[in-house]
Amino acid sequence: MVFQSYALFPHMTVLENVRYGLVVSGMAKAKADERARVALATVGLTGFDLRLPSELSGGQQQRVAVARALVLEPAVLLFDEPLSNLDARLRRQMREEIRELQQRLTLTVVYVTHDQAEAMAVSDRIIVMNKGGIAQEGAPRDLYEQPRDPFRRRIHGRRQSCPWKVDAPRRDVWRCAGGRHDADAAASRTPGRRCRRRPSAPKRSRSRPQDGAPLRATVRKAAYLGGLMEYTLESPIGELFVISTAVEEPLAVGTGVGIALAHHGVVVIPPTTG
C-alpha cells in the first residue's frame, strides 16, 4: 500500500525505508539490501540509498513509498490518494510514472482519488462511489460521456443551470431544446428526460445579437488559467460556465457574445429521485 502521507520513517535512510518490510519478515539484511536497490532502480532512484526523507523532494519521497511497496512483490497495489501532497507539475509527472510502472510490471492497481483527471488518466476502469455505494462503473470514456444520474454528472463537469428536455428523436440522435436553442444528445434516450451541457460544450463567437448567433450571452466573470480561459456567462436560459482555449483573445467582463452549442457536449440524464 502507498499512503497519502508517504509514511516514511524520518530517521531511516532511503534504503532502510525500502527494505523495512523485508527485514521485518525475516529476510537476511544483505538480500534485503539487494532487493531494495532493485526496487529503487525501478522507480528511478538509483544512488539515493543513504539520503534521509528530509533530503528528498515530494516527488522523490513518493517514489520511495512506491519502491517500499513494490519490494514486497504484491499481487495488488493500493494507492490512497498518492498525489494529493504534490504541486500541479509533480502531480502530472507522477501520475504518468505510476501508469507506466503499472503497465510495465503488469500489476493490478487500486487507485483511490477525488481528482477526476487523475482517475481518467491512470485507469482502465473507474468505480465511482457515493454515500458508501457504487454509483457507476466502467471505462473512463463511458463514465464521462454517459453519466447515469445527477451525482455522476456533477463529478465530470461543473453544473450548468440551463436544463432542457428531450423533445423527439431525429434519425440516430435526440433533439434537446432549451427554449428555441437546440443541441443533439446521445441516442437511445427517452423523450421527456432532462439533459444538461458540459462546460466545454459551447462554441464561443464574438458575434453580436443581431448577427444571428444561436444564443445571446454576456460575460460576467473571466479567469485566465494559462492554457485556458474560464468564463461565466449570463444568458436567457440561465448562467453558463464556458471553457475556451482562445487565450490570445480573452473576452472582457461585460462583453456580449454569441454561443453555439457543440453537439458532443450534451448529456441526457434521468430525473433526480429520492
Side-chain angles (χ1 to χ4, degrees), residues 24-78:
V24 169
S25 65
M27 183 177 290
K29 180 177 175 296
K31 186 175 181 180
D33 284 351
E34 181 182 351
R35 288 265 297 271
R37 289 191 176 96
V38 171
L40 286 170
T42 299
V43 297
L45 289 180
T46 299
F48 285 72
D49 303 21
L50 301 181
R51 296 195 189 185
L52 294 171
S54 60
E55 298 174 306
L56 305 177
S57 67
Q60 290 169 339
Q61 290 183 54
Q62 185 59 276
R63 293 184 195 183
V64 173
V66 172
R68 182 178 58 186
L70 290 176
V71 79
L72 299 175
E73 299 181 347
V76 178
L77 187 57
L78 173 62

Side-chain angles (χ1 to χ4, degrees), residues 5-43:
S5 60
Y6 315 145
L8 301 179
F9 297 111
H11 62 289
M12 292 185 180
T13 64
V14 166
L15 185 66
E16 290 169 338
N17 267 282
V18 175
R19 77 183 185 198
Y20 178 78
L22 298 175
V23 173
V24 169
S25 65
M27 183 177 290
K29 180 177 175 296
K31 186 175 181 180
D33 284 351
E34 181 182 351
R35 288 265 297 271
R37 289 191 176 96
V38 171
L40 286 170
T42 299
V43 297

Side-chain angles (χ1 to χ4, degrees), residues 165-221:
K165 285 187 177 181
V166 181
D167 287 343
R170 182 181 62 81
R171 295 180 184 175
D172 59 342
V173 298
W174 295 97
R175 176 67 66 179
C176 289
R180 59 187 179 86
H181 309 290
D182 295 344
D184 293 334
S188 302
R189 304 296 185 180
T190 304
R193 284 189 172 181
R194 298 169 76 81
C195 61
R196 291 181 181 270
R197 47 160 294 277
R198 296 190 186 281
S200 55
K203 292 181 178 179
R204 176 179 61 89
S205 77
R206 286 181 175 274
S207 57
R208 296 179 179 276
Q210 59 266 31
D211 292 337
L215 180 63
R216 306 172 186 178
T218 302
V219 177
R220 292 305 180 205
K221 297 178 184 178

Side-chain angles (χ1 to χ4, degrees), residues 56 92 103 106 130 138 162 172-173 213 225 237 251 272:
L56 305 177
R92 179 169 182 173
Q103 293 182 320
T106 62
N130 182 24
C162 50
D172 59 342
V173 298
L225 301 181
I237 58 173
L251 296 173
T272 303

Side-chain angles (χ1 to χ4, degrees), residues 87-101:
D87 60 33
R89 181 183 63 83
L90 279 176
R91 286 173 72 93
R92 179 169 182 173
Q93 177 185 336
M94 284 303 301
R95 81 185 187 197
E96 291 173 351
E97 291 183 3
I98 288 172
R99 178 62 170 170
E100 188 276 333
L101 188 67

Side-chain angles (χ1 to χ4, degrees), residues 132-150:
I134 296 177
Q136 190 171 347
E137 62 177 297
R141 181 178 292 274
D142 293 340
L143 266 67
Y144 186 87
E145 295 182 355
Q146 299 177 30
R148 294 176 184 169
D149 54 40

